[in-house]
């Protein structure tokens, strides 16, 4: 039995949210074709038969829009059956001296007993059948939840925390500028958590960047697909742009102009795909390109919203999330990113807007953009898909 998260506050959008959550739950439970998923007004039910419940629980924990869920047994609304089931659950969990509590909710107001009566009847039944057990309503060791609903009685003794947030797909579509670093995968996770459906944009520069660096970005995408379903991965060839900038632009502005070109191209792809914003993994003050002045000089190239979920976070907190979502170990694999290769030893931390515009005039912006966009390749990436098999030995060494 799944309880909705923030959904409940969403008024008239509620129906759409529930429908989308139902679709997302069905998608992650796709490997279990015998399951039934019923998305109802105030609860979502996943009815299991003989499926592996641990795997089902793990899959549900990755779905945004779920506040928490209760592994429950569904039985007839018959007091004798309910008593038997509750007692059995209490016995299974009982350790000497343990305390318990019965917590009843009644949706079906036509049921013959009210909430207090049900609590009392079931409490008495447990007390008189398990020696040494006692009631503690504040901090019970065993908490048994009974829900009398229209479609049956649901008994559970465990609450599992969900991922929170909003169902992916209810917050529109956007692109994410994904590097192979620590930050952008975390930013992706946070964007998805607010319901946004993400397409990945990754710049690569062969032969300066390796096949392994590209596979690493794809592998990160497959880890993140666990939270959103399949993700479109758009790889953009960036070699010509970088070589041209290196040749034509003064060294202090290499980084700023590269970033401007990246954002121009990303914004164009975003617009072409009818997405409404570009997410990045930037945080204020981390590196030269991430000062406020730098952001201003880079953001100058587009009116598309540029969204930075990590902007005010400390690195330590970002790393903590990246460990929680299983992207950290991949992110720290040391493959050259296209940005690191052409980074001058001393990039300007306070680039001027005028100079950025002027130096960009030294290159053929439109032509470079067009050729980069003509060269994109798109891969549809599934959760858990493997891209690094062939490199396993290399990784074993690195890790
Ligand atoms: P990250 O850990 O995400 O790489 P970072 O702290 O290393 O971030 P930068 O390398 O300066 O910072 O990159 C800043 C942001 O620019 C990244 O978070 C990402 O959104 C974007 N970016 C950097 N490199 C690429 C790339 N090769 N392809 C797409 N986006 C990129
Ligand atoms: Mg980086």
């Amino acid at each position: 039995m799944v309880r909705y998260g923030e959904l409940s506050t969403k008024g008239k959008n509620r129906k759409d949210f529930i429908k989308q959550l139902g679709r997302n739950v069905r998608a992650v439970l796709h490997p279990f074709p015998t399951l039934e998923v019923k998305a109802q007004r105030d609860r979502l039910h996943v009815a299991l038969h003989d499926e592996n419940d641990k795997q089902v629980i793990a899959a549900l924990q990755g779905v945004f829009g779920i506040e928490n869920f209760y592994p429950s047994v569904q039985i007839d609304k018959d007091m004798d059956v309910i008593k038997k089931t509750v007692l059995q659950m209490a016995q299974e969990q009982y350790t000497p001296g343990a305390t318990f509590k019965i917590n009843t909710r009644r949706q079906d107001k036509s049921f013959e007993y009210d909430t207090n009566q049900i609590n009392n009847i079931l409490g008495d039944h447990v007390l008189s059948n398990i020696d040494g057990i006692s009631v503690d309503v504040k901090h019970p060791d065993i908490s048994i939840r009974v829900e009398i609903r229209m479609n049956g009685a649901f008994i559970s003794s465990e609450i599992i925390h969900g991922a929170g947030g909003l169902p992916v797909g209810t917050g529109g579509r956007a692109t994410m500028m994904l590097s192979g670093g620590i930050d952008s995968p975390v930013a992706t996770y946070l964007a998805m958590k607010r319901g946004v459906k993400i397409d990945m944009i990754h710049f690569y520069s062969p032969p300066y960047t390796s096949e392994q660096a590209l596979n690493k970005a794809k592998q990160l995408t497959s880890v993140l697909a666990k939270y959103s379903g399949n993700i479109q991965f758009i790889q953009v060839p960036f070699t010509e742009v970088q070589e041209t900038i290196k040749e034509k632009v003064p060294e202090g502005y290499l980084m700023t102009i590269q970033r401007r070109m990246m954002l121009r191209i990303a914004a164009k792809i975003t617009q072409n795909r009818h997405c409404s914003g570009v997410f990045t993994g930037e945080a204020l003050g981390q590196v030269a390109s991430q000062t406020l002045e730098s952001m201003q000089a880079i953001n100058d190239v587009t009116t598309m919203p540029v969204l930075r979920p990590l902007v005010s976070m400390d690195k330590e907190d970002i790393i903590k999330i990246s460990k929680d979502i299983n992207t950290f170990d991949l992110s720290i694999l040391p493959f050259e990113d296209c940005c690191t290769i052409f980074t001058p030893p001393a990039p300007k931390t306070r680039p001027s807007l005028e100079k950025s515009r002027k130096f960009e005039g030294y290159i053929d912006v439109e032509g470079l953009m067009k050729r980069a966009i003509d060269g994109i390749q798109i891969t549809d990436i599934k959760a858990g898909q493997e891209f690094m098999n062939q490199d396993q030995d290399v990784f074993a060494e690195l890790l």
Side-chain angles (χ1 to χ4, degrees):
M1 186 185 296
V2 175
R3 280 182 51 194
Y4 302 134
E6 243 174 271
L7 294 194
S8 45
T9 62
K10 291 290 172 183
K12 72 177 171 51
N13 291 333
R14 199 183 156 92
K15 260 205 187 118
D16 296 339
F17 279 66
I18 292 172
K19 252 199 210 149
Q20 184 68 51
L21 184 64
R23 277 198 288 268
N24 296 354
V25 167
R26 278 184 202 100
V28 299
L29 296 179
H30 182 71
F32 310 95
T34 47
L35 280 180
E36 286 163 74
V37 177
K38 278 171 273 178
Q40 294 168 348
R41 211 183 58 80
D42 57 347
R43 292 279 191 279
L44 181 142
H45 294 277
V46 179
L48 286 79
H49 307 288
D50 298 320
E51 298 83 358
N52 180 323
D53 54 348
K54 290 217 170 59
Q55 287 172 2
V56 172
I57 287 171
L60 284 177
Q61 279 180 304
V63 182
F64 292 124
I66 294 179
E67 179 79 15
N68 50 40
F69 54 100
Y70 306 88
S72 314
V73 287
Q74 179 179 6
I75 51 175
D76 287 344
K77 283 184 281 186
D78 170 328
M79 209 48 176
D80 287 333
V81 181
I82 297 172
K83 275 159 80 174
K84 204 175 128 211
T85 309
V86 166
L87 178 60
Q88 202 182 338
M89 243 182 225
Q91 276 163 338
E92 275 165 16
Q93 297 200 14
Y94 182 68
T95 51
T99 57
F100 82 106
K101 174 191 179 179
I102 309 281
N103 183 359
T104 302
R105 292 195 175 205
R106 193 179 60 143
Q107 179 205 36
D108 176 5
K109 301 291 180 207
S110 71
F111 188 67
E112 56 186 318
Y113 303 102
D114 70 19
T115 311
N116 280 332
Q117 289 171 318
I118 301 169
N119 281 339
N120 288 336
I121 295 170
L122 296 173
D124 286 345
H125 188 61
V126 171
L127 279 171
S128 54
N129 283 284
I130 303 180
D131 282 341
I133 201 165
S134 59
V135 175
D136 182 345
V137 290
K138 287 230 173 77
H139 305 288
D141 302 313
I142 304 167
S143 177
I144 296 183
R145 196 180 163 93
V146 177
E147 289 206 22
I148 308 293
R149 304 184 66 79
M150 305 314 283
N151 54 338
F154 292 80
I155 321 291
S156 61
S157 58
E158 191 187 358
I159 297 191
I160 297 175
H161 284 286
L166 305 170
V168 172
T170 58
R173 279 179 80 104
T175 57
M176 173 79 214
M177 293 178 64
L178 183 80
S179 69
I182 294 171
D183 301 322
S184 43
V186 172
T188 309
Y189 171 84
L190 294 176
M192 289 170 170
K193 189 169 182 188
R194 297 314 295 170
V196 180
K197 179 79 184 157
I198 292 287
D199 293 341
M200 296 296 196
I201 297 179
H202 177 73
F203 292 88
Y204 70 121
S205 299
Y208 306 104
T209 59
S210 63
E211 190 70 18
Q212 290 164 327
L214 185 61
N215 282 340
K216 174 181 167 185
K218 288 183 179 169
Q219 195 65 54
L220 283 165
T221 302
S222 109
V223 173
L224 290 160
K226 178 184 164 201
Y227 302 97
S228 80
N230 290 14
I231 299 176
Q232 304 263 295
F233 180 92
I234 305 159
Q235 59 193 71
V236 187
F238 202 51
T239 313
E240 191 199 355
V241 178
Q242 286 189 300
E243 285 178 339
T244 310
I245 292 172
K246 174 97 178 156
E247 193 191 317
K248 304 265 166 77
V249 171
E251 192 170 82
Y253 277 77
L254 284 182
M255 196 259 320
T256 307
I257 306 300
Q258 275 183 58
R259 294 295 169 144
R260 283 171 64 99
M261 284 303 287
M262 265 196 185
L263 185 57
R264 273 184 197 284
I265 294 167
K268 184 75 186 161
I269 295 172
T270 306
Q271 191 188 2
N272 290 348
R273 298 175 68 82
H274 306 291
C275 292
S276 326
V278 181
F279 280 85
T280 80
E282 291 163 301
L284 264 178
Q286 265 201 16
V287 288
S289 63
Q290 299 180 23
T291 62
L292 209 43
E293 292 86 349
S294 234
M295 286 184 194
Q296 186 194 23
I298 296 165
N299 228 146
D300 178 48
V301 301
T302 184
T303 53
M304 181 69 77
V306 177
L307 301 138
R308 303 177 175 89
L310 311 184
V311 72
S312 61
M313 282 176 75
D314 291 347
K315 192 76 184 185
E316 238 175 280
D317 299 326
I318 298 170
I319 288 175
K320 187 177 176 313
I321 299 177
S322 93
K323 287 181 176 167
D324 289 346
I325 64 173
N326 282 328
T327 53
F328 183 76
D329 289 343
L330 275 170
S331 290
I332 58 173
L333 292 174
F335 300 127
E336 293 290 353
D337 188 60
C338 69
C339 293
T340 34
I341 284 171
F342 288 92
T343 304
K348 282 249 177 307
T349 52
R350 303 208 160 129
S352 101
L353 195 53
E354 269 72 56
K355 284 188 186 154
S356 303
R357 288 175 181 167
K358 181 175 137 200
F359 295 142
E360 204 176 59
Y362 298 176
I363 62 171
D364 170 21
V365 171
E366 291 304 319
L368 287 167
M369 265 181 83
K370 181 172 184 311
R371 288 188 293 280
I373 291 173
D374 285 346
I376 64 178
Q377 275 172 271
I378 303 178
T379 318
D380 187 55
I381 296 185
K382 288 197 209 46
Q385 204 175 330
E386 274 298 332
F387 292 94
M388 294 168 76
N389 279 341
Q390 64 271 39
D391 307 321
Q392 242 160 25
D393 294 344
V394 184
F395 293 126
E397 257 169 55
L398 289 170
L399 288 167

